[in-house]
Amino acid sequence: MGQFILDHLGRQVNLSTVPKRIISICPAITETLFALGLEKEIVGRTKYCIFPKGMVESIPIVGGTKEVNMETIRDLQPDLILAEKEENTKEIVLALEKVAPVFVSEVQKIDDSYRMIEALGLLMNREKAAEHLIASCKTSFPNPSCKQKLNAAYVIWRKPYMVVGGTTYINDVLDTLGFQNPFATEESRYPMVTKEELTKANLDVLLLASEPFPFQVKHLAEFQSFLPNTKILLVDGEMFWYGAKMVEAGLYLERLTKKIEEITSGGSSKQKECRNVKFTKVSKM
């Protein structure tokens, strides 16, 4: 290699050879590395890097996404560290640069996920594998086709309530599925909202994610008490991860959308126009 490459923040990353010892501090990136056949090159991960199950467990843990163990990372002697702007802090990236080159991805839209996969293929000399994975993601994932959208919010936290804002990958997925996020115009990526703000949003659908806060059945009544006319569903937050997870997520999102269509079909013309969303089955790698 022997040249520099710009990461997604425009930072210069200098690599003399193809990296052989990688540390990933972003769960979605770690899973994607496995999908590209790079399991032997991964020498470190965070405690939140839990996929693919049955394979990732043998890789040493270097901390979390917001706090890492610098001594452990130094001992692992990485020649490349992979981070993501939202998942990891600027302070962590600056500290890690003193140990090894750090490539920072930024994923705010579905297309950004494909760009991240392409970058990993380029960095690791796995361009063909990256092309194949991107093709599989695109085959699995839904294509947007709704003209009018149901109002929907995606809740990630409780006490205080926090929802997904506009400049996020999850918001782009919601848009693709045929939902209009009333909180997409907020300045924060994950704005805090009150019961009153959720009520005023005139929500057709409220999605309670399984992570980072583990919403469960017992929480449904809490929201239904002040949103009596909103359809409230629990969703698997992991199916809203980017990268390799998109292959598996396609079928889940298809089923979720059909379920929402069934429980909301009694009413609005908005829903009738959204029935034209096209899905294809999950392709096998």
Side-chain angles (χ1 to χ4, degrees):
M1 189 173 286
Q3 296 181 353
F4 73 86
I5 184 170
L6 295 179
D7 69 8
H8 295 168
L9 303 186
R11 300 163 56 258
Q12 182 172 310
V13 181
N14 297 302
L15 296 171
S16 57
T17 61
V18 176
K20 297 297 183 183
R21 298 181 62 80
I22 310 168
I23 290 177
S24 169
I25 55 173
C26 173
I29 290 178
T30 301
E31 182 178 20
T32 302
L33 291 172
F34 274 91
L36 295 177
L38 293 164
E39 58 271 17
K40 293 182 180 179
E41 283 82 358
I42 309 170
V43 298
R45 63 177 173 104
T46 75
K47 60 184 178 181
Y48 303 112
C49 298
I50 59 174
F51 296 108
K53 291 187 182 296
M55 299 179 69
V56 76
E57 292 83 359
S58 62
I59 298 173
I61 292 175
V62 300
T65 54
K66 308 300 183 186
E67 184 176 346
V68 297
N69 187 316
M70 294 300 296
E71 183 177 354
T72 299
I73 290 176
R74 289 191 189 95
D75 289 344
L76 290 170
Q77 299 181 329
D79 47 26
L80 177 65
I81 300 172
L82 299 171
E84 201 278 329
K85 183 181 177 182
E86 177 182 317
E87 290 284 345
N88 313 119
T89 67
K90 180 179 180 180
E91 291 73 22
I92 286 178
V93 170
L94 292 176
L96 291 176
E97 282 183 325
K98 298 176 182 179
V99 179
V102 182
F103 186 97
V104 182
S105 298
E106 183 176 23
V107 181
Q108 296 185 356
K109 291 185 175 294
I110 292 171
D111 284 347
D112 291 338
S113 179
Y114 301 146
R115 181 177 68 152
M116 180 271 289
I117 297 171
E118 184 178 31
L120 294 181
L122 178 63
L123 285 166
M124 303 305 303
N125 197 25
R126 290 289 199 282
E127 288 94 339
K128 290 296 183 181
E131 290 176 7
H132 179 73
L133 179 56
I134 291 170
S136 295
C137 290
K138 290 183 176 181
T139 300
S140 170
F141 229 62
N143 295 313
S145 61
C146 286
K147 295 181 180 179
Q148 289 183 288
K149 301 177 182 294
L150 295 172
N151 278 341
Y154 185 105
V155 187
I156 65 165
W157 202 255
R158 179 174 179 264
K159 293 185 179 181
Y161 295 140
M162 294 177 68
V163 298
V164 163
T167 56
T168 61
Y169 169 80
I170 295 175
N171 182 72
D172 199 30
V173 174
L174 293 176
D175 183 71
T176 296
L177 296 180
F179 299 125
Q180 177 67 47
N181 178 8
F183 302 105
T185 57
E186 298 287 337
E187 290 185 8
S188 172
R189 290 169 60 79
Y190 298 99
M192 292 185 290
V193 295
T194 63
K195 291 182 179 180
E196 292 73 23
E197 288 171 323
L198 287 169
T199 301
K200 290 179 181 178
N202 191 29
L203 296 170
D204 297 298
V205 179
L206 186 73
L207 304 177
L208 304 180
S210 62
E211 54 99 36
F213 182 87
F215 283 107
Q216 301 172 33
V217 173
K218 65 182 180 181
H219 297 110
L220 295 174
E222 174 184 336
F223 288 89
Q224 204 72 75
S225 67
F226 61 90
L227 296 172
N229 299 317
T230 299
K231 304 301 181 183
I232 303 174
L233 295 89
L234 298 172
V235 295
D236 185 347
E238 292 167 355
M239 291 296 105
F240 287 81
W241 287 16
Y242 50 83
K245 185 66 72 183
M246 296 172 71
V247 178
E248 178 184 356
L251 183 58
Y252 174 86
L253 295 174
E254 174 185 0
R255 290 171 175 170
L256 174 64
T257 305
K258 287 182 178 179
K259 181 177 181 179
I260 293 173
E261 179 179 348
E262 290 172 0
I263 64 177
T264 59
S265 60
S268 71
S269 59
K270 291 189 296 183
Q271 180 60 37
K272 293 177 182 178
E273 292 199 36
C274 281
R275 291 179 184 176
N276 294 321
V277 178
K278 303 297 183 183
F279 294 89
T280 54
K281 297 298 182 181
V282 179
S283 65
K284 294 183 178 180
M285 296 288 289

